[in-house]
Amino acid sequence: DELTAEAGASRARAVSVLTAAMQRWPKEPSMLMHSCFALCALASHGLDQPGSQAGSGAAEYTEQHLQAGLQVAYQLGPAAVEDLERHNAVSSRSRARFMRQELIRLETGTLRCAPEPLRQQLRAASLRFGVAASQCKALLRDAESNEVDHNTFCEQMSMALVLLGLCGQAEHTAQLLQQAPWEPMVKSAAQASVELSRLGAQAELERVGMARIIAAALQEWQGALGSP
């Protein structure tokens, strides 16, 4: 939705408030998750044009604000996920997956509106922290023990695969499709491929032969459904 002038002028200040709250309560996953969601919403409107806040007395939303939210999320988010995983309980693993989901949402939203060369730096940082790859592994682990429902699996897996694809690693989607003829795997990989295509990553999909892989996976899955 279009921001009102008042809301647009508040974005830079909102980043400061949100990151301060995250640092004030670094052990509260709910605070971190909701803050990541809010930071992504702020980033989704892009950077302010130079001079756009002239006369309003407000700071412009710049690359520095875009990076600030993500830096605090990287500082606190992975540690919060590790703490949840250490509890070794179904509920804790579920919360860890949702924590990663919001980190991935923020990473993707920030990456989409960042200009070059910042975008390249953000891709490298995303791969270095490895939140999306960890999410894929956790989902496959938890799906084996029936800890995650199909819809949640598809939503969280496709988000992780989209981020990996935007970072030049669409082979994760290809590998998932080639593992097993399981409907949620096929569906999440197909959804990720469609979203990557919509975001202009066709060259990355072509690089890994995604159209051929999806066709083969669908054929295998349909064959499995038709077998006695």
Side-chain angles (χ1 to χ4, degrees), residues 50-105:
S52 61
Q53 299 300 336
S56 70
E60 293 175 356
Y61 185 88
T62 65
E63 289 185 23
Q64 286 69 39
H65 296 98
L66 195 63
Q67 294 177 84
L70 193 54
Q71 286 170 350
V72 174
Y74 280 149
Q75 177 189 350
L76 303 175
V81 168
E82 287 182 13
D83 285 344
L84 289 168
E85 289 281 3
R86 285 194 198 98
H87 287 87
N88 195 29
V90 172
S91 60
S92 295
R93 286 192 289 273
S94 176
R95 293 185 76 194
R97 291 194 307 272
F98 279 101
M99 180 74 246
R100 290 192 202 91
Q101 178 178 343
E102 295 311 320
L103 286 168
I104 289 167
R105 190 191 309 276

Side-chain angles (χ1 to χ4, degrees), residues 116-132:
E116 296 290 1
L118 176 58
R119 185 175 297 169
Q120 199 60 38
Q121 297 171 19
L122 295 176
R123 289 192 187 102
S126 180
L127 295 175
R128 185 169 68 253
F129 281 97
V131 177

Side-chain angles (χ1 to χ4, degrees), residues 48-227:
D48 283 338
Q49 294 297 316
S52 61
Q53 299 300 336
S56 70
E60 293 175 356
Y61 185 88
T62 65
E63 289 185 23
Q64 286 69 39
H65 296 98
L66 195 63
Q67 294 177 84
L70 193 54
Q71 286 170 350
V72 174
Y74 280 149
Q75 177 189 350
L76 303 175
V81 168
E82 287 182 13
D83 285 344
L84 289 168
E85 289 281 3
R86 285 194 198 98
H87 287 87
N88 195 29
V90 172
S91 60
S92 295
R93 286 192 289 273
S94 176
R95 293 185 76 194
R97 291 194 307 272
F98 279 101
M99 180 74 246
R100 290 192 202 91
Q101 178 178 343
E102 295 311 320
L103 286 168
I104 289 167
R105 190 191 309 276
L106 176 57
E107 287 183 279
T108 304
T110 304
L111 187 62
R112 286 178 60 182
C113 69
E116 296 290 1
L118 176 58
R119 185 175 297 169
Q120 199 60 38
Q121 297 171 19
L122 295 176
R123 289 192 187 102
S126 180
L127 295 175
R128 185 169 68 253
F129 281 97
V131 177
S134 296
Q135 181 78 319
C136 291
K137 292 176 183 177
L139 283 164
L140 293 172
R141 176 200 66 193
D142 296 342
E144 285 186 1
S145 52
N146 295 316
E147 293 182 20
V148 53
D149 65 81
H150 288 190
N151 288 336
T152 301
F153 180 96
C154 289
E155 179 184 5
Q156 295 182 340
M157 181 64 81
S158 63
M159 287 178 65
L161 293 174
V162 166
L163 178 57
L164 287 167
L166 291 175
C167 291
Q169 293 198 351
E171 53 266 25
H172 287 269
T173 305
Q175 290 166 5
L176 183 67
L177 279 168
Q178 294 169 324
Q179 280 188 16
W182 186 47
E183 179 184 0
M185 286 188 181
V186 175
K187 184 177 179 181
S188 57
Q191 288 175 342
S193 298
V194 170
E195 182 66 6
L196 285 168
S197 180
R198 188 183 71 82
L199 294 174
Q202 292 92 338
E204 176 64 12
L205 296 174
E206 292 172 2
R207 181 182 69 82
V208 297
M210 190 60 67
R212 173 184 54 79
I213 292 169
I214 288 177
L218 284 171
Q219 185 177 14
E220 184 179 0
W221 174 49
Q222 290 166 351
L225 287 177
S227 62

